[in-house]
Amino acid sequence: MSKEKDILASVSDISTESEFFSPVPDGYKQGKTKYVFVMGTVMSGLGKGIFSSCLAKLLQDKGLKVAPIKLEGYLNIDSGTLNPFRHGEVFVLDDGMETDMDLGTYERLLDQDLSRANFATSGQIFSSVLNKERHGDYLGRDVQMIPHVTGEVKLKLRQLAMESKADVVFVEIGGTVGDLENAYFIEAMRELAYEEGPNSCCFVALTYILEPKTLGEQKSKAAQLGIKQLMQCGVQPDIITCRASSPVNEKARQKISVYSNVPFERVISLPDSTSIYLIPSMLRDNGVDFQVLRMLKIEDRINLQKERREWGKWCDFTEKMESLNRQVTIGITGKYTTVRDSYASIINALEHAGIALGCKESIKWIDTTDITDSNVAEFLADVDGIIVPGGFGTRGAEGKIACIKYARENNLPYLGLCFGFQMAVIEFARNVCGMKKANSNELKPGCAEPVIDILPEQKKIEGLGGNMRLGGRDIELKAQTLAWKIFGKKDSVRMRFRHRYEVDPKYIKTLEDAGLVFSGKAPEQPIMQILELPSHPFFMGTQAHPCLTSRPLRPQPMFVGLLAAALQRHYTDENLPDCEKAVQSIK
Ligand code: GLN
């Protein structure tokens, strides 16, 4: 048994007599999986998730198996109950877990579906420790932050390592070093690195170099103090990534190197970038990927042929991104109109589709609170297409319905997402089927014609956390419809859901008889999931959130369809492909 293995064996002692306690999952093979820890100093919002996912992508391109995990300090069990205005969008995974928006960045960069194993909050960690305590698992012991709570964190990381069979687990710690709520995560990382032994962990500290306008030079003091704080926690960083508005000069990097025991070549400059998709190449130019491989001693696991192939594909994508020669304007109606993070996945999905079609999209945010049938034309005069995204509650709902009516009557390309799908059904019921009182029981409880009503399974549920109809579901497609065509004429397609309400099945026939086509439904239930209007250039709604599964190199067909129709509307003098042909041209 090697020396490192001895350490792990001794700390795994769970007898009440020993001070060593570090639960290790059965069958865990030490050394198989390496760990990269990413943490931030000086301030939050440095893009730890972006850095971590881009670095993970570079390793994945080299044939390594990577598994990311985000550790959040807050006590919520998941992100489902968080207000997107405060915390950015809630990102729903295929298994139904409601997570932080950073998980979206990982899924997009890695083109990988993640699961609840990739996301942990303090709420989950404490809840699990408290359950074990009640169950008697720590009998005889006082349950402490160290070793029990830190033990639970390490267990979660090692479980992920085992389940994913990853070569490298990327651990991103939310918040900033020095936050009280994250301190025990950093302590757990320190312990894990000790237990796993040399060359098994790599600590990356992101920091920020200030450049006050009045001085006109870069200042590294705040960064130095931030790193010092990390070192006071017993963690020696291996790589320091300096974020800044412009490239970080040698002098500032030298100062940080001297101060932190990190060799100069591992103090990296990472200035602001116009797109996160350009960051993998910045990291590659800095050689961060090979620094990490060397430190973890896994250079022999890489496949350079695969890397050449994958990198070639990525460069084609970024080259296209930098030569977009057409432009359309897409209106997005939304309650959180001032916070772009609330709609991160939609913005990304539009960007992916735009790059594939060689077009840049400018987004016009539309607050619908004051929109009515009589003034809607002014608000939508300069848009080439419109999206009504997901939402909850009544504010601005009537304005959204007015926008949808305008889009339907004026051949303006329309995409309705979840709430936007439901509003399209209400608009159609009112203005085409003549059901003037059509509404949603969410917006007007007890209304006369609740075409949108609560899902039967939701009626029994009490409390508002984690219990919507959540996660990935198959959608059965109706042959010959536009949805069927843009999804490659397949029988079914999988998307992610997050809702409580649905089209009340008793109205389906009336709506269909009047010309609305439900082109996608749940396989075994009468839950309508995609709608379209055949006589319109592009009028589509879905009960799902297709933006969550759009990936840079695999744009989501509904977004491609919307943009293709918007392009046709904008560039009427050119012979541009329709939605179906545009989607086909991408494959
Ligand atoms: N409020 C609607 C529902 O619960 C739509 C939800 C959403 O847009 N995510 O069904």
Side-chain angles (χ1 to χ4, degrees), residues 401-430:
I401 294 172
C403 290
I404 298 168
K405 177 170 190 272
Y406 180 88
R408 182 178 55 77
E409 291 176 345
N410 294 280
N411 283 339
L412 180 65
Y414 174 70
L415 181 59
L417 307 174
C418 200
F419 193 69
F421 163 92
Q422 297 173 355
M423 294 305 105
V425 171
I426 296 175
E427 190 281 317
F428 193 84
R430 283 187 195 170

Side-chain angles (χ1 to χ4, degrees), residues 535-563:
S535 54
H536 192 285
F538 187 86
F539 190 100
M540 194 171 274
T542 171
Q543 186 63 79
H545 293 267
C547 50
L548 300 177
T549 38
S550 176
R551 307 276 164 85
L553 304 184
R554 290 190 299 126
Q556 212 281 343
M558 288 181 170
F559 285 85
V560 177
L562 174 77
L563 284 190

Side-chain angles (χ1 to χ4, degrees), residues 362-387:
S362 73
I363 294 174
K364 178 176 173 185
W365 298 99
I366 302 169
D367 183 351
T368 54
T369 345
D370 299 322
I371 297 187
T372 60
D373 283 342
S374 49
N375 66 10
V376 62
E378 287 161 43
F379 284 88
L380 300 184
D382 52 354
V383 304
D384 305 302
I386 177 165
I387 294 179

Side-chain angles (χ1 to χ4, degrees), residues 18 128 172 189 191 314 353 392 402 431 450 458 466 473 509 566:
S18 170
S128 163
E172 176 196 346
M189 305 304 108
E191 292 171 17
W314 188 255
F392 295 82
N431 302 317
Q458 290 291 321
R473 313 268 166 154
K509 189 165 183 315

Side-chain angles (χ1 to χ4, degrees), residues 32-107:
K32 154 88 182 86
T33 301
K34 309 284 183 164
Y35 299 84
V36 173
F37 304 119
V38 178
M39 43 202 108
T41 69
V42 177
M43 63 182 198
S44 62
L46 295 177
K48 292 187 297 286
I50 294 170
F51 170 86
S52 179
S53 40
C54 292
L55 184 56
K57 177 196 161 37
L58 292 182
L59 265 49
Q60 178 176 266
D61 284 354
K62 293 178 181 38
L64 296 175
K65 197 156 180 14
V66 298
I69 179 166
K70 169 114 197 237
L71 302 178
E72 284 283 11
Y74 51 70
L75 291 170
N76 308 57
I77 299 288
D78 57 40
S79 309
T81 51
L82 298 181
N83 179 348
F85 186 68
R86 279 179 67 92
H87 206 82
E89 77 177 355
V90 177
F91 195 85
V92 183
L93 303 181
D94 191 76
D95 66 1
M97 183 73 179
E98 298 173 282
T99 73
D100 178 85
M101 59 185 285
D102 271 329
L103 275 276
T105 310
Y106 287 110
E107 284 206 343

Side-chain angles (χ1 to χ4, degrees), residues 1-12 24 28-32 158 194-198:
M1 195 184 268
S2 72
K3 192 161 167 281
E4 288 83 54
K5 283 203 173 135
D6 273 337
I7 300 174
L8 197 60
S10 63
V11 295
S12 307
V24 176
Y28 179 76
K29 272 228 220 81
Q30 192 185 356
K32 154 88 182 86
R158 287 180 173 132
Y194 167 68
E195 292 166 15
E196 293 286 323

